[in-house]
Short mmCIF file of all heavy atoms in Angstrom, two decimals:
data_model
loop_
_atom_site.label_atom_id
_atom_site.label_comp_id
_atom_site.label_asym_id
_atom_site.label_seq_id
_atom_site.Cartn_x
_atom_site.Cartn_y
_atom_site.Cartn_z
N ASP A 40 -2.52 1.78 15.64
CA ASP A 40 -1.98 1.79 17.01
C ASP A 40 -2.56 2.93 17.83
O ASP A 40 -2.78 2.77 19.04
CB ASP A 40 -0.45 1.92 16.97
CG ASP A 40 0.22 0.69 16.38
OD1 ASP A 40 -0.39 -0.39 16.49
OD2 ASP A 40 1.30 0.82 15.80
N PHE A 41 -2.83 4.06 17.20
CA PHE A 41 -3.34 5.21 17.93
C PHE A 41 -4.74 4.96 18.49
O PHE A 41 -5.08 5.39 19.58
CB PHE A 41 -3.37 6.45 17.01
CG PHE A 41 -2.00 6.94 16.63
CD1 PHE A 41 -1.35 6.47 15.52
CD2 PHE A 41 -1.34 7.85 17.42
CE1 PHE A 41 -0.11 6.93 15.15
CE2 PHE A 41 -0.06 8.32 17.10
CZ PHE A 41 0.56 7.84 15.97
N THR A 42 -5.58 4.27 17.74
CA THR A 42 -6.93 3.98 18.22
C THR A 42 -6.96 2.74 19.08
O THR A 42 -7.63 2.70 20.12
CB THR A 42 -7.89 3.78 17.02
OG1 THR A 42 -7.35 2.80 16.11
CG2 THR A 42 -8.02 5.12 16.26
N TYR A 43 -6.25 1.70 18.67
CA TYR A 43 -6.30 0.42 19.41
C TYR A 43 -5.73 0.55 20.82
O TYR A 43 -6.35 0.17 21.80
CB TYR A 43 -5.53 -0.65 18.62
CG TYR A 43 -5.41 -1.97 19.36
CD1 TYR A 43 -6.51 -2.83 19.44
CD2 TYR A 43 -4.26 -2.36 19.98
CE1 TYR A 43 -6.42 -4.04 20.11
CE2 TYR A 43 -4.14 -3.55 20.65
CZ TYR A 43 -5.24 -4.38 20.70
OH TYR A 43 -5.14 -5.57 21.38
N LEU A 44 -4.52 1.12 20.92
CA LEU A 44 -3.85 1.22 22.23
C LEU A 44 -4.54 2.25 23.13
O LEU A 44 -4.54 2.09 24.35
CB LEU A 44 -2.38 1.55 22.05
CG LEU A 44 -1.55 0.48 21.36
CD1 LEU A 44 -0.13 0.98 21.15
CD2 LEU A 44 -1.54 -0.81 22.16
N SER A 45 -5.12 3.29 22.58
CA SER A 45 -5.77 4.32 23.41
C SER A 45 -7.13 3.85 23.89
O SER A 45 -7.55 4.24 24.97
CB SER A 45 -5.91 5.63 22.62
OG SER A 45 -6.68 5.43 21.46
N GLU A 46 -7.82 3.01 23.14
CA GLU A 46 -9.16 2.54 23.52
C GLU A 46 -9.12 1.29 24.36
O GLU A 46 -9.97 1.09 25.24
CB GLU A 46 -10.01 2.33 22.28
CG GLU A 46 -10.32 3.60 21.49
CD GLU A 46 -11.10 3.29 20.22
OE1 GLU A 46 -11.32 2.11 19.96
OE2 GLU A 46 -11.45 4.24 19.49
N SER A 47 -8.13 0.42 24.15
CA SER A 47 -8.09 -0.86 24.82
C SER A 47 -7.73 -0.76 26.28
O SER A 47 -8.13 -1.55 27.09
CB SER A 47 -7.12 -1.82 24.12
OG SER A 47 -7.52 -2.02 22.79
N TYR A 48 -6.95 0.25 26.65
CA TYR A 48 -6.45 0.35 28.01
C TYR A 48 -6.98 1.56 28.75
O TYR A 48 -6.44 1.94 29.77
CB TYR A 48 -4.92 0.37 27.98
CG TYR A 48 -4.33 -0.87 27.37
CD1 TYR A 48 -3.96 -0.92 26.04
CD2 TYR A 48 -4.21 -2.03 28.13
CE1 TYR A 48 -3.44 -2.06 25.47
CE2 TYR A 48 -3.69 -3.20 27.58
CZ TYR A 48 -3.31 -3.20 26.26
OH TYR A 48 -2.81 -4.32 25.69
N GLY A 49 -8.03 2.20 28.28
CA GLY A 49 -8.71 3.27 29.00
C GLY A 49 -7.81 4.42 29.35
O GLY A 49 -7.27 5.12 28.49
N ASN A 50 -7.64 4.65 30.70
CA ASN A 50 -6.86 5.80 31.13
C ASN A 50 -5.36 5.60 30.92
O ASN A 50 -4.58 6.51 31.25
CB ASN A 50 -7.14 6.09 32.60
CG ASN A 50 -6.84 4.87 33.50
OD1 ASN A 50 -6.50 3.83 33.00
ND2 ASN A 50 -7.03 5.06 34.79
N LYS A 51 -4.92 4.45 30.44
CA LYS A 51 -3.50 4.22 30.17
C LYS A 51 -3.15 4.59 28.73
O LYS A 51 -2.29 3.96 28.11
CB LYS A 51 -3.15 2.77 30.43
CG LYS A 51 -3.26 2.34 31.89
CD LYS A 51 -2.81 0.92 32.07
CE LYS A 51 -2.88 0.52 33.53
NZ LYS A 51 -2.43 -0.88 33.74
N ASN A 52 -3.83 5.58 28.19
CA ASN A 52 -3.53 6.01 26.83
C ASN A 52 -2.09 6.46 26.71
O ASN A 52 -1.65 7.38 27.39
CB ASN A 52 -4.48 7.17 26.46
CG ASN A 52 -4.30 7.62 25.02
OD1 ASN A 52 -3.51 7.05 24.25
ND2 ASN A 52 -5.02 8.65 24.64
N PRO A 53 -1.27 5.77 25.86
CA PRO A 53 0.13 6.11 25.77
C PRO A 53 0.39 7.42 25.03
O PRO A 53 1.49 7.97 25.11
CB PRO A 53 0.75 4.94 25.01
CG PRO A 53 -0.37 4.43 24.15
CD PRO A 53 -1.62 4.65 24.97
N PHE A 54 -0.59 7.91 24.28
CA PHE A 54 -0.39 9.12 23.48
C PHE A 54 -0.97 10.31 24.26
O PHE A 54 -2.18 10.58 24.20
CB PHE A 54 -1.07 8.98 22.12
CG PHE A 54 -0.60 7.78 21.35
CD1 PHE A 54 -1.36 6.64 21.27
CD2 PHE A 54 0.62 7.81 20.67
CE1 PHE A 54 -0.93 5.55 20.56
CE2 PHE A 54 1.05 6.72 19.95
CZ PHE A 54 0.29 5.58 19.88
N GLN A 55 -0.12 10.98 25.02
CA GLN A 55 -0.53 12.09 25.87
C GLN A 55 -0.24 13.46 25.24
O GLN A 55 -0.77 14.47 25.67
CB GLN A 55 0.16 12.01 27.24
CG GLN A 55 -0.19 10.74 28.00
CD GLN A 55 -1.64 10.68 28.43
OE1 GLN A 55 -2.27 11.71 28.60
NE2 GLN A 55 -2.18 9.47 28.60
N ASN A 56 0.66 13.50 24.27
CA ASN A 56 1.04 14.77 23.64
C ASN A 56 -0.08 15.32 22.80
O ASN A 56 -0.78 14.59 22.10
CB ASN A 56 2.28 14.58 22.76
CG ASN A 56 3.55 14.40 23.60
OD1 ASN A 56 3.67 14.98 24.65
ND2 ASN A 56 4.43 13.54 23.12
N GLU A 57 -0.24 16.62 22.86
CA GLU A 57 -1.26 17.32 22.06
C GLU A 57 -0.61 18.23 21.03
O GLU A 57 -1.18 19.23 20.61
CB GLU A 57 -2.20 18.10 22.96
CG GLU A 57 -2.97 17.24 23.93
CD GLU A 57 -3.91 18.05 24.80
OE1 GLU A 57 -3.90 19.29 24.66
OE2 GLU A 57 -4.69 17.46 25.56
N ILE A 58 0.62 17.90 20.62
CA ILE A 58 1.34 18.73 19.70
C ILE A 58 0.66 18.76 18.34
O ILE A 58 0.70 19.78 17.64
CB ILE A 58 2.82 18.25 19.57
CG1 ILE A 58 3.61 19.20 18.67
CG2 ILE A 58 2.89 16.82 19.04
CD1 ILE A 58 5.09 18.93 18.65
N LEU A 59 0.01 17.65 17.95
CA LEU A 59 -0.68 17.63 16.67
C LEU A 59 -1.88 18.55 16.68
O LEU A 59 -2.15 19.26 15.69
CB LEU A 59 -1.10 16.19 16.34
CG LEU A 59 -1.66 15.95 14.93
CD1 LEU A 59 -0.56 16.16 13.90
CD2 LEU A 59 -2.22 14.55 14.80
N GLN A 60 -2.65 18.58 17.81
CA GLN A 60 -3.83 19.42 17.88
C GLN A 60 -3.46 20.88 18.01
O GLN A 60 -4.15 21.76 17.51
CB GLN A 60 -4.70 18.99 19.08
CG GLN A 60 -5.40 17.65 18.87
CD GLN A 60 -4.48 16.47 19.11
OE1 GLN A 60 -3.36 16.63 19.55
NE2 GLN A 60 -4.97 15.27 18.80
N SER A 61 -2.35 21.19 18.73
CA SER A 61 -1.97 22.56 18.94
C SER A 61 -1.20 23.17 17.77
O SER A 61 -0.97 24.38 17.72
CB SER A 61 -1.11 22.68 20.22
OG SER A 61 0.06 21.90 20.09
N SER A 62 -0.80 22.33 16.82
CA SER A 62 -0.02 22.84 15.69
C SER A 62 -0.92 23.64 14.73
O SER A 62 -2.07 23.25 14.47
CB SER A 62 0.60 21.66 14.95
OG SER A 62 1.22 22.12 13.75
N PRO A 63 -0.42 24.73 14.20
CA PRO A 63 -1.23 25.51 13.24
C PRO A 63 -1.42 24.79 11.91
O PRO A 63 -2.32 25.11 11.14
CB PRO A 63 -0.44 26.81 13.06
CG PRO A 63 0.99 26.41 13.39
CD PRO A 63 0.88 25.38 14.47
N SER A 64 -0.58 23.82 11.61
CA SER A 64 -0.68 23.06 10.37
C SER A 64 -0.23 21.65 10.63
O SER A 64 0.80 21.38 11.26
CB SER A 64 0.21 23.68 9.27
OG SER A 64 0.19 22.87 8.11
N SER A 65 -1.04 20.66 10.18
CA SER A 65 -0.72 19.27 10.43
C SER A 65 -1.14 18.41 9.26
O SER A 65 -2.00 18.80 8.46
CB SER A 65 -1.42 18.78 11.71
OG SER A 65 -2.83 18.84 11.56
N LEU A 66 -0.53 17.26 9.15
CA LEU A 66 -0.82 16.32 8.06
C LEU A 66 -0.68 14.91 8.62
O LEU A 66 0.33 14.56 9.24
CB LEU A 66 0.15 16.52 6.91
CG LEU A 66 0.08 15.48 5.75
CD1 LEU A 66 -1.26 15.60 5.04
CD2 LEU A 66 1.24 15.68 4.79
N VAL A 67 -1.69 14.08 8.44
CA VAL A 67 -1.69 12.68 8.87
C VAL A 67 -1.82 11.80 7.65
O VAL A 67 -2.80 11.91 6.88
CB VAL A 67 -2.84 12.41 9.87
CG1 VAL A 67 -2.83 10.95 10.28
CG2 VAL A 67 -2.70 13.31 11.10
N LEU A 68 -0.86 10.91 7.46
CA LEU A 68 -0.89 9.95 6.35
C LEU A 68 -1.10 8.56 6.93
O LEU A 68 -0.24 8.04 7.62
CB LEU A 68 0.43 10.01 5.57
CG LEU A 68 0.80 11.37 4.97
CD1 LEU A 68 2.15 11.31 4.29
CD2 LEU A 68 -0.26 11.83 3.98
N PRO A 69 -2.27 7.95 6.69
CA PRO A 69 -2.56 6.65 7.28
C PRO A 69 -1.59 5.52 6.86
O PRO A 69 -1.29 4.65 7.65
CB PRO A 69 -4.01 6.35 6.82
CG PRO A 69 -4.56 7.67 6.42
CD PRO A 69 -3.40 8.47 5.91
N ALA A 70 -1.11 5.58 5.63
CA ALA A 70 -0.23 4.50 5.13
C ALA A 70 0.78 5.07 4.17
O ALA A 70 0.40 5.77 3.21
CB ALA A 70 -1.05 3.39 4.48
N VAL A 71 2.05 4.78 4.40
CA VAL A 71 3.15 5.23 3.53
C VAL A 71 3.95 4.02 3.12
O VAL A 71 4.18 3.10 3.93
CB VAL A 71 4.04 6.28 4.24
CG1 VAL A 71 5.15 6.75 3.34
CG2 VAL A 71 3.20 7.47 4.72
N ASP A 72 4.35 3.99 1.87
CA ASP A 72 5.13 2.87 1.37
C ASP A 72 6.42 2.71 2.17
O ASP A 72 7.09 3.68 2.49
CB ASP A 72 5.46 3.12 -0.13
CG ASP A 72 6.10 1.91 -0.78
OD1 ASP A 72 6.10 0.85 -0.13
OD2 ASP A 72 6.57 2.04 -1.91
N CYS A 73 6.77 1.44 2.46
CA CYS A 73 7.99 1.16 3.24
C CYS A 73 9.24 1.69 2.52
O CYS A 73 10.19 2.13 3.16
CB CYS A 73 8.13 -0.33 3.48
SG CYS A 73 6.92 -0.98 4.67
N GLU A 74 9.23 1.62 1.22
CA GLU A 74 10.39 2.08 0.48
C GLU A 74 10.56 3.59 0.62
O GLU A 74 11.68 4.09 0.71
CB GLU A 74 10.23 1.71 -1.01
CG GLU A 74 11.44 2.10 -1.87
CD GLU A 74 11.26 1.67 -3.30
OE1 GLU A 74 10.29 0.97 -3.61
OE2 GLU A 74 12.13 2.02 -4.13
N ALA A 75 9.44 4.31 0.71
CA ALA A 75 9.53 5.74 0.86
C ALA A 75 10.05 6.13 2.23
O ALA A 75 10.89 7.02 2.38
CB ALA A 75 8.14 6.38 0.62
#
Side-chain angles (χ1 to χ4, degrees):
D40 293 332
F41 292 91
T42 54
Y43 175 76
L44 295 176
S45 60
E46 294 176 357
S47 299
Y48 299 96
N50 57 356
K51 294 183 179 181
N52 183 3
F54 304 102
Q55 299 293 334
N56 287 323
E57 298 181 356
I58 185 172
L59 188 67
Q60 290 78 8
S61 60
S62 172
S64 176
S65 62
L66 173 66
V67 178
L68 301 177
V71 181
D72 188 10
C73 289
E74 183 178 353

